[in-house]
Amino acid sequence: MKEKALWGGRFQEAIADVAQRFSSSIALDSKLWREDIRGSIAHARMLGVTGIISKDESAQIISGLEEIARDIESGALKFDNSMEDIHLAIETWLTQKIGVTGGKLHTGRSRNDQVALDERLYLKTAIPDLAAGITHVMDVLLDLAEQHVDAVMPGYTHLQQAQPVLLSHHLMAHLEMLARDRERLDDCFGRTDRSPLGAAAFAGTSHPIDRQFVADELGFDALVENSIDAVSDRAYLIELASVCSIIMMHLSRMAEELVIWSSKEFGFVTMSDRVTTGSSIMPQKKNPDMAELIRGKVGRVYGALVNLLTTMKALPLAYNRDMQEDKQPMFDAVDTTRDSLEMMAFMLSETQFNTDRMREAVMGGELMATEIADYLTRKGLPFREAHHVTGKIVAHANEHGISLASIPLASLKSFSSLIEEDLYDFLDPMRSLREKKSAGSTNPMMIRAAIAAWRGQQSN
Ligand code: ARG
């Protein structure tokens, strides 16, 4: 005969195998065993301190739980699919180890507040891990920006060559986006750092429990005060999945640039053999698979966000079993984002930036057109007109298949008598960068200052 479930008192028959298999979450939530045991130890300690159970019972439960932790770690205790979830698995093992006293652990508690607690504890480790992953990518970006502080490259809008910028400026733009993601994580941490334990099923309990004691034991900043809220809400999870989605979106843009830049047509970067793969049929291929995979994994993380939003949509308060489905997207969002950050940091550090090639692209293109328009404007032509005249000059260069800098002065003068020999100085991209005056622009002095400022912040 099958053993009765821990909740089986009112049942005549055991759950059907098919229903047991369908509803078991152990394959996923066993990953929360450390959090579950930590939470139970804090709860057991509180039960002893408040006199709800005796000091001796509390001590027995705690040492039983500690032994279970050691046994899981060593592999002596193994999860199997006949278990319903992590909470029942551990409680069952506890009773097997210490006998009936094990049954006192669940006093004044429910799996509803327990699971919310486990998730919050898990995220309190996961969020700082993700933040550290971001910091790592930022450090690599800072190193690269520093190494290439004066390298010029074509800047793009619509992926068409637009104006010359510093490669370091471009890299620092990615850094600043990631820095805000780190702030978002910090923010989200604050709302996650609240203890739901003691809400019991949802209505609270008549046992004289001390919620604050448990929160303090576990290092929570505060309580989720309202007990119905405490077991019903999963917005902390949705918030994290949305921050992960934003991080992945940012990583995908970096990844996409690495894919484009590593093409023969661009040749702006060369990734090392350690982060690229070959083709089984085309011998010449060196593919940027890691960058493509980061781009591809965004779908999983967005999927996790939509999954959680959809699971929670229109659920009546308080707990509903639907909510068990939150584990898979939670773990997937966290693991995928953490791994992608790690991969991005490594891939960037294994990437060589071909700054000569970038410079050639600047010189061979028409990126200095805006400089010509600005030159004419400074000589008194209204900007709109200067824009128009410059457009004609660009068309002329295109027609003759030459760069702007190689149009002879006489031809230039035929477009505007304001043009003198000194225009050629303005066509030097480095000069145009140095001339930038507005705050945050692609001026090498400003980028140096930005790099130094971020260095200071990063080492704090
Ligand atoms: N495995 C469940 C979950 O992850 C734990 C809570 C179950 N509560 C219940 N009353 N069935 O959501």
Short mmCIF file of all heavy atoms in Angstrom, two decimals, residues 90-113:
data_model
loop_
_atom_site.label_atom_id
_atom_site.label_comp_id
_atom_site.label_asym_id
_atom_site.label_seq_id
_atom_site.Cartn_x
_atom_site.Cartn_y
_atom_site.Cartn_z
N ILE A 90 11.41 17.36 2.85
CA ILE A 90 12.27 17.60 4.01
C ILE A 90 11.54 17.28 5.32
O ILE A 90 12.12 16.68 6.23
CB ILE A 90 12.84 19.04 3.96
CG1 ILE A 90 13.89 19.06 2.84
CG2 ILE A 90 13.45 19.45 5.31
CD1 ILE A 90 14.50 20.38 2.54
N GLU A 91 10.27 17.62 5.37
CA GLU A 91 9.51 17.30 6.59
C GLU A 91 9.41 15.79 6.79
O GLU A 91 9.50 15.29 7.92
CB GLU A 91 8.12 17.94 6.53
CG GLU A 91 7.46 17.97 7.90
CD GLU A 91 6.05 18.54 7.89
OE1 GLU A 91 5.79 19.48 7.11
OE2 GLU A 91 5.21 18.02 8.65
N THR A 92 9.24 15.06 5.70
CA THR A 92 9.16 13.60 5.79
C THR A 92 10.49 13.03 6.30
O THR A 92 10.51 12.19 7.21
CB THR A 92 8.84 13.00 4.39
OG1 THR A 92 7.65 13.62 3.92
CG2 THR A 92 8.65 11.49 4.46
N TRP A 93 11.58 13.51 5.75
CA TRP A 93 12.90 13.05 6.20
C TRP A 93 13.13 13.38 7.67
O TRP A 93 13.70 12.59 8.42
CB TRP A 93 14.02 13.67 5.35
CG TRP A 93 14.18 13.03 4.00
CD1 TRP A 93 13.87 11.75 3.67
CD2 TRP A 93 14.69 13.64 2.82
NE1 TRP A 93 14.17 11.52 2.35
CE2 TRP A 93 14.68 12.66 1.79
CE3 TRP A 93 15.18 14.90 2.50
CZ2 TRP A 93 15.12 12.91 0.50
CZ3 TRP A 93 15.62 15.15 1.21
CH2 TRP A 93 15.59 14.17 0.21
N LEU A 94 12.66 14.57 8.06
CA LEU A 94 12.86 14.99 9.45
C LEU A 94 12.17 14.02 10.40
O LEU A 94 12.75 13.59 11.40
CB LEU A 94 12.33 16.42 9.64
CG LEU A 94 12.50 16.99 11.04
CD1 LEU A 94 13.97 17.22 11.37
CD2 LEU A 94 11.73 18.31 11.21
N THR A 95 10.94 13.68 10.08
CA THR A 95 10.20 12.77 10.95
C THR A 95 10.84 11.38 10.96
O THR A 95 10.89 10.72 11.99
CB THR A 95 8.72 12.71 10.51
OG1 THR A 95 8.24 14.05 10.48
CG2 THR A 95 7.88 11.91 11.49
N GLN A 96 11.35 10.98 9.78
CA GLN A 96 12.07 9.69 9.76
C GLN A 96 13.29 9.74 10.66
O GLN A 96 13.63 8.76 11.32
CB GLN A 96 12.50 9.34 8.33
CG GLN A 96 11.34 8.83 7.46
CD GLN A 96 11.67 8.83 5.98
OE1 GLN A 96 12.80 9.13 5.58
NE2 GLN A 96 10.67 8.53 5.16
N LYS A 97 13.94 10.88 10.74
CA LYS A 97 15.16 10.99 11.55
C LYS A 97 14.87 11.13 13.03
O LYS A 97 15.51 10.48 13.86
CB LYS A 97 16.00 12.19 11.08
CG LYS A 97 16.86 11.88 9.89
CD LYS A 97 18.02 12.86 9.79
CE LYS A 97 18.73 12.71 8.46
NZ LYS A 97 19.46 11.45 8.34
N ILE A 98 13.93 12.03 13.40
CA ILE A 98 13.80 12.35 14.83
C ILE A 98 12.46 11.89 15.42
O ILE A 98 12.18 12.16 16.59
CB ILE A 98 14.03 13.85 15.11
CG1 ILE A 98 12.89 14.70 14.52
CG2 ILE A 98 15.38 14.33 14.59
CD1 ILE A 98 12.90 16.14 15.01
N GLY A 99 11.64 11.24 14.59
CA GLY A 99 10.37 10.74 15.11
C GLY A 99 9.30 11.81 15.19
O GLY A 99 9.39 12.84 14.51
N VAL A 100 8.30 11.60 16.05
CA VAL A 100 7.09 12.44 16.07
C VAL A 100 7.37 13.92 16.29
O VAL A 100 6.61 14.78 15.85
CB VAL A 100 6.06 11.96 17.11
CG1 VAL A 100 5.38 10.70 16.62
CG2 VAL A 100 6.72 11.77 18.46
N THR A 101 8.46 14.23 16.99
CA THR A 101 8.77 15.65 17.23
C THR A 101 8.92 16.40 15.91
O THR A 101 8.62 17.59 15.82
CB THR A 101 10.09 15.77 18.03
OG1 THR A 101 9.95 14.96 19.19
CG2 THR A 101 10.36 17.20 18.45
N GLY A 102 9.35 15.68 14.88
CA GLY A 102 9.48 16.29 13.54
C GLY A 102 8.16 16.91 13.09
O GLY A 102 8.14 17.92 12.39
N GLY A 103 7.08 16.31 13.52
CA GLY A 103 5.75 16.78 13.15
C GLY A 103 5.39 18.13 13.77
O GLY A 103 4.40 18.75 13.41
N LYS A 104 6.22 18.61 14.72
CA LYS A 104 5.92 19.90 15.36
C LYS A 104 6.48 21.08 14.58
O LYS A 104 6.13 22.23 14.85
CB LYS A 104 6.48 19.92 16.79
CG LYS A 104 5.82 18.88 17.68
CD LYS A 104 6.02 19.20 19.14
CE LYS A 104 5.12 18.27 19.98
NZ LYS A 104 5.11 18.66 21.39
N LEU A 105 7.37 20.79 13.65
CA LEU A 105 8.02 21.87 12.90
C LEU A 105 7.00 22.77 12.18
O LEU A 105 7.17 23.98 12.12
CB LEU A 105 9.01 21.29 11.86
CG LEU A 105 9.56 22.27 10.83
CD1 LEU A 105 10.37 23.39 11.50
CD2 LEU A 105 10.43 21.55 9.80
N HIS A 106 5.96 22.16 11.67
CA HIS A 106 5.05 22.92 10.80
C HIS A 106 4.01 23.73 11.59
O HIS A 106 3.10 24.32 11.02
CB HIS A 106 4.36 21.96 9.82
CG HIS A 106 4.07 22.58 8.48
ND1 HIS A 106 5.01 23.24 7.73
CD2 HIS A 106 2.92 22.62 7.74
CE1 HIS A 106 4.46 23.66 6.60
NE2 HIS A 106 3.19 23.31 6.57
N THR A 107 4.18 23.79 12.92
CA THR A 107 3.25 24.56 13.76
C THR A 107 3.27 26.04 13.35
O THR A 107 4.34 26.64 13.25
CB THR A 107 3.66 24.47 15.25
OG1 THR A 107 3.93 23.11 15.57
CG2 THR A 107 2.59 25.03 16.17
N GLY A 108 2.09 26.59 13.10
CA GLY A 108 2.00 28.02 12.78
C GLY A 108 2.60 28.37 11.44
O GLY A 108 2.97 29.52 11.19
N ARG A 109 2.70 27.40 10.57
CA ARG A 109 3.31 27.65 9.27
C ARG A 109 2.51 26.88 8.21
O ARG A 109 1.82 25.92 8.53
CB ARG A 109 4.75 27.14 9.28
CG ARG A 109 5.53 27.48 8.03
CD ARG A 109 6.99 27.04 8.16
NE ARG A 109 7.13 25.60 8.01
CZ ARG A 109 8.31 24.99 7.80
NH1 ARG A 109 9.42 25.70 7.73
NH2 ARG A 109 8.37 23.69 7.66
N SER A 110 2.65 27.30 6.97
CA SER A 110 2.00 26.62 5.85
C SER A 110 3.01 26.56 4.72
O SER A 110 3.98 27.32 4.71
CB SER A 110 0.76 27.43 5.42
OG SER A 110 0.46 27.19 4.07
N ARG A 111 2.78 25.65 3.78
CA ARG A 111 3.67 25.67 2.62
C ARG A 111 3.49 26.95 1.80
O ARG A 111 4.35 27.31 1.02
CB ARG A 111 3.41 24.43 1.75
CG ARG A 111 4.08 23.19 2.29
CD ARG A 111 3.85 22.04 1.36
NE ARG A 111 2.47 21.62 1.33
CZ ARG A 111 1.90 20.96 0.34
NH1 ARG A 111 2.59 20.65 -0.74
NH2 ARG A 111 0.63 20.60 0.39
N ASN A 112 2.35 27.61 2.03
CA ASN A 112 2.12 28.83 1.25
C ASN A 112 3.08 29.96 1.63
O ASN A 112 3.62 30.64 0.77
CB ASN A 112 0.67 29.30 1.43
CG ASN A 112 -0.33 28.26 0.95
OD1 ASN A 112 0.07 27.28 0.31
ND2 ASN A 112 -1.60 28.47 1.23
N ASP A 113 3.30 30.13 2.94
CA ASP A 113 4.29 31.15 3.31
C ASP A 113 5.71 30.59 3.17
O ASP A 113 6.66 31.32 2.88
CB ASP A 113 4.03 31.76 4.70
CG ASP A 113 3.96 30.76 5.84
OD1 ASP A 113 3.85 29.54 5.56
OD2 ASP A 113 4.00 31.19 7.01
#
